[in-house]
Amino acid sequence: MIRLLGLFLVAALTVAGCATTPPAVGPDGRPLPKAYVIKPGDEGRVTYSMVDSVNTLRGASGAAPLNLNSQLTAAAATHSRDMAVQNRPWHFGSDGSSPLLRVQRAGYPGMMLGENISETYETELETLSAWMDVPDTRAVILDPNARDVGFSWYQEPSGKIWWTLVTGG
């Protein structure tokens, strides 16, 4: 009898070990999001995913594609890191600089046309989708006068990502 009870206990523990835990859900009943982690070596993939997606959206609206510009990208990278230092998403630098001044400092010879920013744990494509849902940020992406784009981000150890996209022409 004890042997039978022991076998039953082992079987019960084995079956219990096979059970899966349902994902944690938020107040809306949907699974909680996981932080999107950009690993070393993913920089090119993330950048070109964004630029290619922006150009696809621009093409669908009849606008010319944007060229990735290193000076605009440098201005975007500087601002992404600065927003993280300030711990707030906004268009002004900790030194009071505007997007226009940051683009000039980076040596961009054209005119800065727009800047989109975001503070999130989401992917670049989820961020682009959110920008497309807001008329002001959508206008920056689809501006027919834009010819160049800079795109960068800064990811904190917590996983929070500070995204910046800058357009120029």
Side-chain angles (χ1 to χ4, degrees):
M1 182 72 171
I2 294 176
R3 185 175 287 169
L4 186 60
L5 186 58
L7 285 173
F8 179 74
L9 182 60
V10 168
L13 289 173
T14 301
V15 170
C18 294
T20 59
T21 305
V25 295
D28 60 359
R30 295 176 47 186
L32 292 174
K34 293 182 180 178
Y36 176 59
V37 177
I38 302 171
K39 299 177 183 97
D42 282 349
E43 293 85 2
R45 179 192 58 76
V46 171
T47 299
Y48 288 105
S49 172
M50 176 62 87
V51 173
D52 290 346
S53 297
V54 164
N55 283 335
T56 298
L57 292 167
R58 287 176 61 82
S61 74
L66 300 177
N67 298 305
L68 184 62
N69 179 278
S70 61
Q71 293 146 326
L72 291 177
T73 296
T78 298
H79 192 54
S80 290
R81 182 173 289 274
D82 191 46
M83 285 189 298
V85 169
Q86 297 181 71
N87 196 32
R88 63 179 171 177
W90 75 322
H91 293 282
F92 294 94
S94 56
D95 63 355
S97 61
S98 67
L100 179 61
L101 183 56
R102 285 191 300 276
V103 165
Q104 289 172 343
R105 286 179 183 167
Y108 182 67
M111 180 176 18
M112 194 284 292
L113 297 175
E115 178 181 73
N116 287 348
I117 59 173
S118 181
E119 165 197 20
T120 185
Y121 291 89
E122 296 177 332
T123 70
E124 66 279 3
L125 297 182
E126 290 169 316
T127 301
L128 177 58
S129 178
W131 285 338
M132 291 299 288
D133 285 342
V134 178
D136 291 344
T137 52
R138 179 185 180 92
V140 169
I141 292 164
L142 300 180
D143 183 348
N145 296 313
R147 295 291 172 255
D148 299 311
V149 66
F151 174 67
S152 193
W153 64 89
Y154 175 76
Q155 186 162 34
E156 296 179 358
S158 69
K160 183 189 292 185
I161 306 171
W162 301 85
W163 300 103
T164 306
L165 179 139
V166 182
T167 59

